[in-house]
Amino acid sequence: MRSSHTPSAVSVRFDDVGLVSCAGLVPVLRLAEDIGLGGLIDQWVDLGIPVGAHSGAKALSVVAGMVAGADSIEDLDVVRHGGMRRLFTGLRAPSTCGSWLRGFTHGHVRQLASVASEAVVRLAGRVPSLLAGVEGLAFIDIDAKIKETYGHGKQGSGIAYNGVRGLNHLVATLSSPVCAPAILTARLRGGNCDSRRGAASMITEAIGLARRAGARGMIVVRADSAFFTGPIIAAIRRTGAYFSVTAQKNAAVKNVINAIDDDAWTEIAYRHPIPDPETGEVITHAEIAETTLTAFVHAAENPGRQVTARLLVRRTPRFTRNDQGELFRVFHYHAVFTDTRFDLPVADKHHREHAIIEQVFADLNDAALAHFPSGRFPANHAWLVLAVLTHNLLRATGCLTSAFHAKARTGTLRKQLITIPARITRTARRITLRLPANWPWQTAYQALFTATHRTT
């Protein structure tokens, strides 16, 4: 493949006012209109200052920019090119959106978070396949992540447990064995805060929201060892949900593991080899066993929160050398504290799938959370909530498109469904989007457009 003309025969002009580069915004924002997102924001978000007027239009301008790939306030200008004003009304400039974000306080962020929560419920009603299967078995995954920041100008940034200066965001997702995760709620914290800070109340909030969204059956909360604490387990049990949490390797856990009989171990093979989280070695086989653990027995640290439940232990062999250079086998142990009633192999498999939340973090990093754009902490918190809202909107968009797109990464959705160039033509009162011939994903886009523009 090479150029069809000589360099001197090719020129460019930015003068086509009827052309847009992201025709996929048309069905996505139509879906946002279907759930009344703009009106919901106008009703629930009130900054009480002049720059806070028309919050719905400003929030949707930010969301539209994020859908199109914006990861900073300046990038939001992507929604104001070519013929975008012929397709949408209420577009706001990046400077206007930036002033609006900087007008947020903690209370206003909570108002916006309430909108994002209601949007999840409405999207689940509008697109049933978004949370397919959660009515039977639902998983809530919670984890914290550090987003690196540079310099000392950002409020709340600090040195985290991994030695990185940044901001800490805590995310809870909802999924089932047959659907990709949607984000229930997210909170921004200081970079040096403990991962467990606020986790108990956030889990309680997430479980309540999951039930509103249709998870009326069994709910299992999955988390890593940072959340192995009495208050968090107690918060989960108060809601009637189940827990599956990686156990910390303290003395009590080690003693229980050492007491497991050698005949109690059962070998399992991984269908897809996985890397060891500590060494990076590829694991193809492991052995699993089950015992019982009474956790949080120290009253001073966890008063009234002593819990007795199953301890699922997985061990993977590795070979090392002794002082004489001879090889001998040792094991790496991974323990899961849970009160679910699944068979041992099933319970172990379900807990390993907690790693699905890392895919959500990767999606956010590949989109609006490439970095936090403002120096003000509440503005960044509001940006996080809008990024969550955008993520869920794109997940619903994928579900309306096809079975493949229902589980595709948001980067794939953006490439195949959103950033499609189109020319706008008008006939009488009708608008037609002229899209590229032989677009590889024409069928998928047509299915999405039809699903969002049906007339009743």
Side-chain angles (χ1 to χ4, degrees), residues 306-319:
Q306 180 172 307
V307 178
T308 300
R310 304 166 69 190
L311 187 71
L312 316 181
V313 186
R314 182 173 72 250
R315 68 181 187 183
T316 53
R318 61 180 59 165
F319 290 90

Side-chain angles (χ1 to χ4, degrees), residues 149-356:
T149 60
Y150 303 92
H152 300 270
K154 290 190 186 292
Q155 291 180 349
S157 67
I159 304 299
Y161 61 89
N162 57 0
V164 173
R165 171 175 288 277
L167 292 170
N168 183 313
H169 52 293
L170 185 66
V171 172
T173 66
L174 174 64
S175 62
S176 78
V178 296
C179 76
I183 301 177
L184 290 173
T185 184
R187 293 181 187 176
L188 187 65
R189 294 98 55 84
N192 58 356
C193 84
D194 190 282
S195 295
R196 299 165 292 184
R197 180 178 174 184
S201 63
M202 184 170 173
I203 289 173
T204 302
E205 175 186 337
I207 293 172
L209 180 56
R211 292 204 167 103
R212 286 177 55 204
R216 299 179 180 88
M218 181 180 183
I219 297 177
V220 181
V221 179
R222 302 184 295 200
D224 62 26
S225 60
F227 302 92
F228 181 71
T229 69
I232 290 176
I233 299 298
I236 296 171
R237 303 188 90 183
R238 277 196 301 268
T239 65
Y242 296 83
F243 61 86
S244 182
V245 180
T246 301
Q248 295 176 358
K249 295 180 180 178
N250 55 37
V253 172
K254 290 179 180 178
N255 290 336
V256 170
I257 293 175
N258 291 335
I260 298 176
D261 191 271
D262 289 339
D263 297 331
W265 296 96
T266 302
E267 183 173 293
I268 59 172
Y270 293 122
R271 184 177 179 182
H272 303 288
I274 60 175
D276 187 287
E278 294 187 3
T279 67
E281 297 175 3
V282 176
I283 301 173
T284 59
H285 292 76
E287 294 178 340
I288 54 177
E290 178 179 343
T291 184
T292 301
L293 172 70
T294 300
F296 320 125
V297 296
H298 299 293
E301 299 176 5
N302 299 280
R305 297 192 176 101
Q306 180 172 307
V307 178
T308 300
R310 304 166 69 190
L311 187 71
L312 316 181
V313 186
R314 182 173 72 250
R315 68 181 187 183
T316 53
R318 61 180 59 165
F319 290 90
T320 186
R321 294 181 181 274
N322 59 18
D323 295 338
Q324 286 75 40
E326 299 171 325
L327 285 175
F328 64 97
R329 189 169 69 165
V330 297
F331 290 97
H332 172 70
Y333 293 88
H334 182 273
V336 178
F337 191 50
T338 181
D339 62 347
T340 61
R341 303 187 185 95
F342 300 117
D343 291 341
L344 176 57
V346 176
D348 176 70
K349 175 178 178 293
H350 283 331
H351 185 80
R352 282 188 282 111
E353 290 170 350
H354 167 65
I356 197 172

Side-chain angles (χ1 to χ4, degrees), residues 23-32 34-35 63 67 123-124 126-130 389-410 412-414 416-418 420 444-452:
L25 286 175
V26 174
V28 173
L29 292 186
R30 183 69 66 179
L31 177 59
D34 286 348
I35 64 171
V63 169
V67 170
L123 282 172
R126 171 65 176 83
V127 188
S129 57
L130 173 64
L389 205 161
T390 302
H391 179 275
N392 291 335
L393 195 59
L394 281 171
R395 287 261 57 86
T397 297
C399 291
L400 285 176
T401 304
S402 70
F404 166 78
H405 291 93
K407 294 186 177 182
R409 291 194 58 175
T410 54
T412 300
L413 299 178
R414 193 180 307 116
Q416 298 183 4
L417 303 176
I418 307 301
I420 307 176
Y445 183 87
Q446 190 67 59
L448 172 62
F449 189 87
T450 302
T452 55

Side-chain angles (χ1 to χ4, degrees), residues 87-136:
L87 291 176
F88 306 105
T89 61
L91 295 177
R92 296 297 192 267
S95 58
T96 302
C97 295
S99 297
W100 176 71
L101 287 168
R102 287 187 291 273
F104 272 77
T105 66
H106 174 73
H108 300 131
V109 173
R110 295 306 298 160
Q111 292 174 354
L112 188 61
S114 297
V115 172
S117 298
E118 179 63 23
V120 173
V121 177
R122 294 190 181 189
L123 282 172
R126 171 65 176 83
V127 188
S129 57
L130 173 64
L131 296 176
V134 297
E135 66 279 357

Side-chain angles (χ1 to χ4, degrees), residues 26-49:
V26 174
V28 173
L29 292 186
R30 183 69 66 179
L31 177 59
E33 289 179 16
D34 286 348
I35 64 171
L37 184 56
L40 199 61
I41 295 172
D42 280 328
Q43 179 183 354
W44 288 12
V45 180
D46 181 11
L47 303 190
I49 52 179

Side-chain angles (χ1 to χ4, degrees), residues 55-71:
S55 288
K58 294 169 183 175
L60 285 177
S61 293
V62 176
V63 169
M66 289 178 171
V67 170
D71 61 11

